[in-house]
Each structure stands twice: as structure tokens, then as C-alpha cells.
Amino acid sequence: MLVIDCPYCGPRPELEFSYGGQAHIARPANPATVETSDWAAFLYLRSNTRGLHAERWRHVRGCARFFNALRDTTTDKFIATYRTGEPAPAIDSRGDR
Amino acid sequence: MANPGLRQAPPVESSSWLRLLPPATRFVFRGPAAAHAAAGTVFGLRLPTTPCRASMRPARAALWLGPDEHLLMAPAEDLGALRSAFASGLRDIPHSLVDVSHRQGALELRGPDAAWLLTAGCPLDLDPAAFPVGMCTRTVFAKTEIVLWRTAAEAFHVEVWRSFTAYLVGMLQEVARELPQ
Amino acid sequence: MNSWRTDGGGRIDRTRALSFSFDGRRFTGFEGDTLASALLANGVHLLGRSFKYHRPRGILGAGSEEPNALVRVVRDHSRATPNLRATQVELYDGLVAESQNRWPSLGFDLSAVNDILSPLFPAGFYYKTFMWPRRAWHAFYEPRIRAAAGLGRAPEGPDPDRYAQRFAHCDVLIVGAGAAGLAAALAAAASGARVILCDEQPEFGGSLLAEPSARIEGMPAADWVAAQRSALAARPNVTLLARTTAFGYFPHNLIGLSERLTDHAAAPSAGSLRERLWQVRAREVVLATGAIERPLVFPGNDRPGVMLASAGRTYLNRYGVRVGSRIVVVAGSDAAYAAALDLKAAGAEIVALADVRSAAGEAATAAAREASLPVSLRATVLGTSGRLRVSSVRLGTVTSGGAVEESSSVACDAVLMSGGYTPTVHLFSQSRGTLSWNAERNVFVPGKPAERTHAAGACRGIDALAAALADGAAVGSVAAAAAGFQGSTPAFEASAVEFGSAGAPGALAQPGPTPPAKAFVDFQNDVTTKDLALAAREGFRSIEHIKRYTTTGMATDQGKTSGMNALGVVADGFERSIPEVGLTTFRMPFTPVTFGVFAGYARCDLFDPVRTTPTHDWARGHGAVFEDVGLWKRARYFPKTGEDMHAAVARECRAVRTGCGLFDASTLGKIEVVGPDAVTFMNRLYVNNWSTLAVGKSRYGILLRDDGFVYDDGVVARLAEDRFHVTTTTGGAARVLGMMEDYLQTEWPDLKVWLTSTTEQWAVIAVQGPRAREVISPLVSDIDLSPGAMPHMSVGWGKICGAPLLLFRVSFTGELGFELNVPADYGRAVWEAVYSAGRSRDITPYGTEAMHVLRAEKGYIIVGQETDGTATPDDVGLSWAIGKAKPDFVGKRSLERPAMKAPGRKQLVGLLTEDPTVVLDEGAQLVESARQKVPMRMIGHVTSSYASAALGRSIALAMLAGGRARIGETLYVPMPGGDIAVKVTAPVFYDPEGVRLNG
């Protein structure tokens, strides 16, 4: 069970969180103008990163907020967490900025 | 005012360490930081802005549950008056006030074993240094969600949705079988 | 007693004799014995049969590393634990144990023929043999192999014991309470840090319990252990856990501990707690897990009576048992000398001390000379004999040229061997820490940690007493400081008679390339040097592949006794160094953990939360049969005396169609959407146009995912300009709220609208049927119920029986209907009041089954029954609900994708069987013609099917390719009993004009 650093509540046990898929995939502002193939990519295409991966989590059994996290998929370790709307921090997998 | 005699909350068997708290007025207050001050004025108690902290005075409690979510508690008979006061006091301030007085109930766990009972199912560190008096948070106990609020060194106020009450109490009583009778 | 038990000494209580049985034979042991020590004290060495070859096996070790002596301990038919290591089973009065993996008896096991046929069972035999004929694998080979393989037998009855679970947090968790672990705990505890110290044994002290010569702080080591244990126990910041195995190291310093509470008790009281799972989150972890002695690899090294030298010492010094009277000691390490000296001093005869090295350490050599031990250097073991216990050993000599010559055959009744010690790095390796090779001692030790992990003492190669104590104290201080607690490092004065523990892994020298008999590397999995050589010959190079091909180090052994020897043999075969060969990953658990520990409290009534509504007890009192809907219990039907489900449901349906029915809809999800942007939010989320919904009105809403498929549905009421009351399906309550929060928080954070679940705030009492208004009118105040004032889909605030009432004029039955929402604490009282008021009009409580029939008669879909995550609103006939003029809503863009508008999509239709008495099976497939070859072309499937009382026949809903264009056609449902002809119809069977709704 991981410890996840909620940007609002601080470090909390994984049991309180739910996973929300890849981060930084914004819903197009005007879907009607989006090409069908681009819309399909928005719906279905996700990266399968080895290494640092930006993903969404929700502290669903806590403050209930969605937030984003950088996690190293080779070690499971969280490198950074940050609030929705903030850019992903420039960071490498050792956590050095 | 409704006839309180008609009310029937999920039954809870009291014991030396557990009791069901009486019915109360409960509101979920949601809104941006800009609404907190006005809400505090109407409610008569400042809404805490520090994450996971509660403020209280007699007949009022306000628990931080999220950056835009507070649980407000008051005596049951204050329901109507508070609803009116919020409606007029925050008329021009965007917010949401929803009555959840019946959605959930409150248990009090009290005594030297209170934290020990809770850590059978709650993954948080309930050491007073990590979870001091006045701390509150939504969390889990085994397979149910609770709001946990430490009201004294050896006392916890636990909010639980009504249909999970029987499970929560059953779990706690199962854990408590280890305590000396 | 007998000659195997010493006259005194050890940590057993000779005043407390305990009676026990093994395979039906009765024996006596003492308080403080393990099953293994008690059997050895009775001269019993044969304890089991090996996994594959069914060879006789005895006791190899004295602790959790034991690979051979696996037994079943039986309390009763429900409480029998297989695969317990006899070396860890604490003796109690009346203990009943059985050997495993033998038939008909332990002494004469028919499957031992496998040993003779062993050329048929080489490494990977199941990959190579049994390949032909192909069909025979399932029918014959696999069942036979399964019957023959495996270990142990599970109990038959349900487990009557209880199991506990607990989360714990600490600053420093110390695993292992031997010399280093105790010193670490003392140092960390003195700093004020929160400390948990656990050890798998019933007593703290580790190897100190078998070291009579050791003295610490001027007292015998065992006394010092007891004193320090008391001192630690007195500290409020310390938790001591004996009989507690750290079985797994999980990310972020979460350690799983399994605490055994009653397995050692003679008669635990009924319902007592058997075991407890601890999930410990530690800031810093100190591993003081010690080291395990390696066996030596020589032909016949698995014969009962062949044991680790450390085990021989432990049985003598801790349990007062001589494991033999004429003992051959085989030394690959100076540690063997200590066993020889102790056993000689205790009266056993050391008939040979065969040292496989060219020289022993100075201290060991001097002590052996003084005790006149018959030492021979450059020795090897060529074989052993003895059917069920070793009776002689054939020794050899390695010449200076490297040739092996047989030197002598020595009669004996026990063999003690030591190949040196392997640090126990299982937990460190589980944590993904990297191991580093210590070339001086030929061992892997913890290297770079992946977690906040510290190793102390023998598990990192520091095993001399004084050094281990000093290391433990230093590491304990460092760990506490890392957790933020500064303290001084205690120093301990210690002395002991000690020899070295280093050795060299691998097999002993043999005369030819192939040893004449099996030399075991992995005792538990029956892996020999030949198997490893075969794997190498067949081209396996990766040690991970060799492990899987040969099964060495697998299962519960996890390389405890086998790992380094396997590496040594493989490295020799490849002529590479051990670090070049590398190491396999250690898997959790360290030793097996019961299922009960993981189940914990979650069993029987507490397996899952059981959610009930405010009217649950009333329904139970009125004979309701309940069904599970998610975690909820919902009344399914209310049978009267003599009624089956069919009769009850038909009666309930008739009551709703002709009079008045009463239904508990409280489980429906409810979400209050509040704020100035509430209508904007609803417009963006649901397909409908909410701008045109007036306050005090409600509308059927549909929610899609952005992929365009129906996700949920429900009635949505507008309670105020800025307040919507959204209902969801029972199962969708949590996920719809989650989806709403997701869009609000991450896509539209600028919207001023907030969400609150009110599912459990309201009890929802549906009163449905032509007489519904008559029934509730006398009870309701402040709301005009007349059709003009309160038409279909209107909403009103008022009171009922003095309780606040949110009244919906709404129908899921097709009849005049109301849903009474009252605050949940009032639910029971209001329900009873409505029931009483309706008695004169024959009000009938109905359950979910009648609700399903009634809605199906009307063609109303249920999300998740008609839809399956691939249905659009148009597919299920709901495109009328879509707000066509809206620029966007969740899912709108996807509805424009070509595939979503393609002809031939499955569409909702009704089906009427030609034979009106036939009720189709839900899930049955539709075909155009039953005269097709199998596999037939399936063009649709039945989603709902019921006997309809109102129509006097069966009805069904189906999803059918191009369905709406097929209305009127006859199709077929092929079933095992014959093909069923059905006519395709519109999906509304009853009152298609909807007249009754507006009554």
C-alpha cells in the first residue's frame, strides 16, 4: 500500500485514493469541430510509459479532490503530486528538479 | 417542526466505549473561499480553512472536509432557522447548502481503547502527535467510509452514512471482543 | 525418559511433561519443546516424504528454514493446518500431528517408486513428457499428476477461529529479536522513538537461546535477553511482538506481520482469536533477520538423521536433546566445530569430523585438538546409507591433484553438516534493495536499499556476538535519528566461544562428473545437482529461467537453504562466479501465511457492509424475500402464505394496475446540484435541455459517457432556479457523483456549482396505481394533489404526518404514481402511515421483481439490463430526450461518429413468443432462421423477460440488429429444448398511449 501525498491533506494511505488514468488530456473546448480520428484519439489513445508518468488520482475517501501525480512506473514510486490545473513539474525520476 | 417522536435512526447498542449521539442538524456547505467568512458569520462559528481541522463551540461545529466542503453541525431544532439565515445571509454569495441531517449519524468512541479500536480498520496514524485533538477527516474504516474527528485525547466523533452504521458498529464490536469484559 | 534427552540443561521445563501423538503413536515431551525437538528426544527422525520422489525425510534445521519436516497439525475436522514446519510447532498437551505425502504409511510409501523411476522425472519433466496423445493431458495426465503432487490436505469444515487485523505506525520497526535486533531496539527505544520489535519465535533472543557460553553485561546471554525484554516491555513507546513473522515488505515501508496468538495453546477457548495481521507503516525499518546455515551438497544428504550443525547445537543447548549418539560431522565451515565440541561434551561420540577444506580456522583447529576430535582435512562425502535413518557415511579424500578417493565408511546415527551461513536477505530483497557480494565470506549482503531500510548483525554478515551487538546498537541509533530521534548508542560488554561462519557454496567433490546418487540442493522441491546440470546442458543461462525450469528455490523455501548452493552449482557448471550468475528474486511470504489472516474480520455477517433502507425491518416483518443489489438488501417480493414468487409477483402487479401498490425506492441515488451555474452544468452533462425545465417540474434525464454510450438515467427535478435534485440508478449513485465531480473539478472548474450526495438523506416511498391519490391525500398537507395542480412530472414541497415531504408525481409503472421523499429517520413512520391509510383500498407492498415486470410492460429500460455500455440513446429508443439544439453535452460528439449512426446497430424491440406461456431466458440469442448450421448468425439477444399478469402472457425486451425495421417479423430463439418462435413488436406492451399515467 503506497503512501500518496495529497496536495491538500498531505501523505495519506493508498486505501483512500482512486486512480483516474493519464493526466493532462483536456477535453476539447469545442468537440463539434474536432475531426473524428482526433476525437477517437482523445477518447481512447493513452501512452504506456516506462518511467515517469503523469496521471490523475482522486483523494476520494479524503478531501475528494482530483489531483495529478508524477509516478515512476518502473518503481511504483510517486515523484511529485500537484493540483489540477497546475503544470507538471519539470523533474527527473530521481525526484531532482 | 416535525414530530421528533416519529424519527427512527439506525439502532446502536451502547457500551462503555460506544454511544450513538443524538440527532443533529447537519449541512454540507460547499463554496469557494470567498463564501467562508460570510458562512461563518451566519453560522456563528468560523469555518476552518486549515485542512483536516474542526472548529467548535457549544451547539456548533464546523469540520473541514475539503477545500470547498465543510460539514456544519448544530442541534436538531436549529435546522429551519439556520436554513433561513443562510438563505438571507448568503443571498448574493455563490454557495451550496444541503441538509444531510438524516444522511448520516454520529457515534462517539470514548476511553483509553478508542484509538486502538479504530486502528483495527482505519489506516491512519491515530497517535496524538499525528492526529491531534481537533483534527478531522474523511477516511475509511474497513469497507466503509467515515468522517473521523478527534474531540478529546481519548474521544472520537465518527460520522457514518446511515446504511453503513450497522456494519461499522458490528465491526467495532467484533474488534472490541478482545477488550477485557 | 530415554537416552536422547540430556540430563539437564536447555530451556525446556522438565517438570511439565506433555503428551502428544505423531501418526497415531503417542509420545511425551516437555513444555518448551517444539514438535521437532520432542520427536528427536524420542529418537524419531523420519517425519515426512519428499515432494516428488517420496524419499524419506527427517529434520534438517531447527527453525523457519526447515524444508523437510512439514506436518499437519490437527485439532478437529475444521481446524487442521497442513504444511507446518515441525521445527516451529510449539508442543502442547494433546497435540496431534500427522506426516504428509505418504501412502499407505510413512515407513512404507508406495509412491517411493518415483525415486527408482526418477530418470522419468528429470527437471522440467512435465514440459517434456505427457505430450502425446494430446487429448490425454486433460483426461488422464493432469488429474493423475495433480493427485500425486502437492503437499498437505486442507481441513474439511469451515474455520471456526477468529482472525484480527490492525494498522500500526511506528518510527522504527525492527524485524528479529536476536542479539543485533535487541540491541537496535534498545538504542531506538532510548531515543524516544515509537518502536515495534517482532520475532517469529515464541521467545526473543534468536541464536542466543542456544549459546550457553555467551555472556553479555556479565550475565548469561539468555538472562540478559530476558532482562532487556522486560525493560523494553516497560516502555510505553515500545511494542513487542513474539510469534510474529514479518512475511512481506511492501512499498513505502509497509511491512506485513502475521502474529500467531493461540496455535501454541493446548485448548484455546471457542471463538478465541487465532491470528492477527499487522500492517505496519514504519518510518525506518531495521532488518535484524540473522543468517541461515547452508547444507552441504553430497549424495544422500537428504537422509533422515542428516542435519545442519546449527540445528544439532540448538536441539542440544536449547531443547536438551542429543540428535545422535554416534555422529559424523561434515565441516565446510568452522561453525561445524562448535557443534562437534558441544555434542561431544554432552556425551555423544564424534566418529568423524570430515572437513572439506584444506585447513580450518586457528581457533577451531586448536579446540578440536584439545578435545581430540577425529579431524580429517580435504575430505568429501561420497554417499550415505540407511533406509529410514542414516546408518553410515562413505567418506572420501580429495588428493592434491584434485582426484577423489574413497577413504572409509563410518557407521553413525546422525550427520551434522555446515556449509557456512547465508545472511537472511529475503525482506531486504522483497523491498527491491540491491544485494552486494561479499567475496571474503562468499555471501550476498544488503547493498543499496530501495526503502528506508537498515540491516544489522548476521543478516549483513556480522555474526560475532560482540560485533553484532555493537552493530545492532549503532544501526538502531542511526534508524532512530533518521526518524528524527536522537539518542546515545549503548555499548554492550560481551564474550562467547565462537568460530567463523564463512564457507563456500556449491557441491562437494565427487569422483566422476555424475554422482552415483542424488545430491540434493533444494530439499523441499526435490532438486538435485543433476537437475541443475541438465538445465545448463539444455541451454538455460539465466538463473531466473533455471529456477523455474528446475523449481529450485520455489514455493515456501524461497531459497532459505537452497539458494546459495544452487547458485554455487550453477556457477561451477558455467565456470562463472556467483555474482556473475546473479540471484533470483525472493518472493513473499517469507513463510506461509494462512488465508484467515488475510480475511481478518471480513467473514460471515461482516464480509461486506449490508445496506438496508429505513423500511427494511417492516418488510422483513411482512415476509419479504430480499435480493442483493450491490451492497443493498431490497425487498424482491412479499409472498403470502402458499405463494411462490410467480404468484406473489402476479398479485403485486395486478394490485398496482388495478388499485394501489407501495414500493420502497430509497436506494435510488440522489445528488443535489446547487449553485448559480447549476443549469449550465446540467446542460453540459446530461443529454437533455434543462433550460426549459421549470422550477417545480421534473424530467427523465440521460447521462452518457464521452464515448456516447448510455451511462446512467433517472428523474431530475428542479427545486429552485439554482438547485436540481438528480436521481440515479441504485448501482450508479457513487459513480455518477464521481463522474460529475471529475468534469466539474478538472474540465469546468470555473462553474459555480457544487454537488452533494443525498441518497441516504431521503427515504423514498413510491405509491403507484389508480388509487394512489386517494390513499395519500388524507395524509399530505400543503400540497394540492389534484391533476390540474399536480400533473405528471411535477414536484411539490409539503408535509406528511408532520414530517417534511418532497413529493414527486412520477411513475416507473405506467400508472398514476407518487414518490414520497421524506427525511430518512421518518421513513418507517411515514411508510406505516401510508400502509394503514391504504388498507381499506387494499394497498399492496410490492418488490423489485414486480417493479421490473411493470416497467417492462411499459418498455422502460433499465440501464445495465437493456444497455451494456455499447448502447446509444437512439439504440434504446431514447433519442427524443436529447436536447437537439445544445452545442455540446458529454457524449454528443461521439454520437456523430459514423459507427454510431451505422445501419444495423442493435435496437430495443419487444418480443412476443408464439406460445404465450413460454417465458424466454434473459440472455438468449435471436436468429433469423433456426435451420442454420452451428454456429448460427446471432442478430440480437433477450434483455428482459417476464410473465405479465396484465397481458395474460409472456413478454420480453430485446436488443436486435436493425430492430425497429423488423417489427412484425418472426425470429427464433434456439434453445437446448428446441427453437422458440417469437414475433418482433414495439417495446411498449401496455397502455402505449400513456393514458393511465395522467389519471
Side-chain angles (χ1 to χ4, degrees), chain C residues 576-633:
Chain C
R576 287 154 72 189
S577 70
I578 285 177
E580 282 171 334
V581 171
L583 202 60
T584 57
T585 308
F586 295 96
R587 307 288 175 192
M588 58 187 76
F590 178 70
T591 49
V593 182
T594 66
F595 285 113
V597 159
F598 292 117
Y601 299 109
R603 49 188 309 195
C604 305
D605 291 346
L606 296 173
F607 178 70
D608 255 343
V610 176
R611 305 180 72 181
T612 59
T613 70
T615 69
H616 182 84
D617 289 345
W618 187 95
R620 202 172 50 194
H622 285 72
V625 174
F626 292 92
E627 69 169 337
D628 292 336
V629 181
L631 297 175
W632 289 102
K633 291 282 179 205

Side-chain angles (χ1 to χ4, degrees), chain B residues 1-4 6-10 28 30-32 68 94-103 116-117 119-125 127 143 161-164 167 170-171 174-175 177-178, chain C residues 162 164-167 169 194 271 273 276 601 606-612 614 631-632 672 674-676 723 741 752 754-758 760-761 799 801-804 823-826 828-829:
Chain B
M1 182 60 212
N3 177 3
L6 296 177
R7 291 189 72 157
Q8 195 171 325
V28 170
R30 302 199 65 175
D68 66 354
H95 73 282
S96 158
L97 185 79
V98 176
D99 176 13
V100 295
S101 306
H102 293 243
R103 182 180 78 172
W116 181 88
L117 286 160
T119 47
C122 176
L124 297 179
D125 186 354
D127 186 271
K143 295 184 181 178
W161 284 18
R162 61 183 302 126
S163 71
F164 290 96
Y167 171 77
M171 280 289 299
E174 177 70 17
V175 174
R177 287 173 65 176
E178 272 195 77
Chain C
R162 296 192 307 126
Q165 294 186 340
R166 179 146 293 282
F167 292 97
H169 297 76
R194 281 189 292 171
L273 222 45
R276 185 193 323 274
Y601 299 109
L606 296 173
F607 178 70
D608 255 343
V610 176
R611 305 180 72 181
T612 59
L631 297 175
W632 289 102
E672 223 152 286
V674 185
R723 186 176 293 252
E741 282 285 352
K752 293 181 175 59
W754 296 274
L755 314 168
T756 304
S757 171
T758 51
E760 297 221 39
Q761 168 69 12
K799 295 217 155 159
C801 314
D825 279 357
Y826 297 113
R828 171 78 186 264

Side-chain angles (χ1 to χ4, degrees), chain C residues 93-166:
Chain C
D93 198 45
L95 182 140
V96 176
E98 297 170 354
S99 60
Q100 303 184 151
N101 212 33
R102 80 290 189 265
W103 189 86
S105 75
L106 186 55
F108 177 71
D109 177 7
L110 280 177
S111 295
V113 69
N114 287 3
D115 196 21
I116 299 156
L117 300 177
S118 63
L120 296 179
F121 302 105
F125 72 98
Y126 37 80
Y127 302 129
K128 298 171 181 161
T129 40
F130 316 121
M131 296 300 286
W132 187 90
R134 196 179 170 77
R135 266 184 320 195
W137 174 254
H138 285 297
F140 181 73
Y141 293 133
E142 189 182 9
R144 289 295 292 263
I145 291 169
R146 285 203 183 281
L151 280 173
R153 195 156 49 85
E156 286 85 28
D159 188 343
D161 291 321
R162 296 192 307 126
Y163 297 83
Q165 294 186 340
R166 179 146 293 282

Side-chain angles (χ1 to χ4, degrees), chain C residues 215 475 968:
Chain C
R215 296 184 70 82
V475 169

Side-chain angles (χ1 to χ4, degrees), chain C residues 134 137 150 202 207 223 295 299 343 347 382 416 485 539 551 592 625 726 738 742 771 805 820 870 877-878:
Chain C
R134 196 179 170 77
W137 174 254
S207 63
D223 295 351
L343 277 149
L382 303 178
L416 295 180
F485 295 84
T551 71
V625 174
V726 178
D742 191 347
R771 309 187 77 172
L805 169 67
L820 287 59
T870 66
L878 297 175

Side-chain angles (χ1 to χ4, degrees), chain C residues 443-515:
Chain C
V443 289
F444 284 106
V445 292
K448 187 169 180 283
E451 300 274 358
R452 298 176 72 102
T453 316
H454 312 260
C459 79
R460 68 180 190 120
I462 299 173
D463 57 7
L465 177 58
L469 286 165
D471 190 46
V475 169
S477 289
V478 166
F485 295 84
Q486 301 294 339
S488 57
T489 305
F492 305 101
E493 167 77 39
S495 65
V497 177
E498 291 174 295
F499 305 118
S501 61
L508 298 192
Q510 298 300 322
T514 324

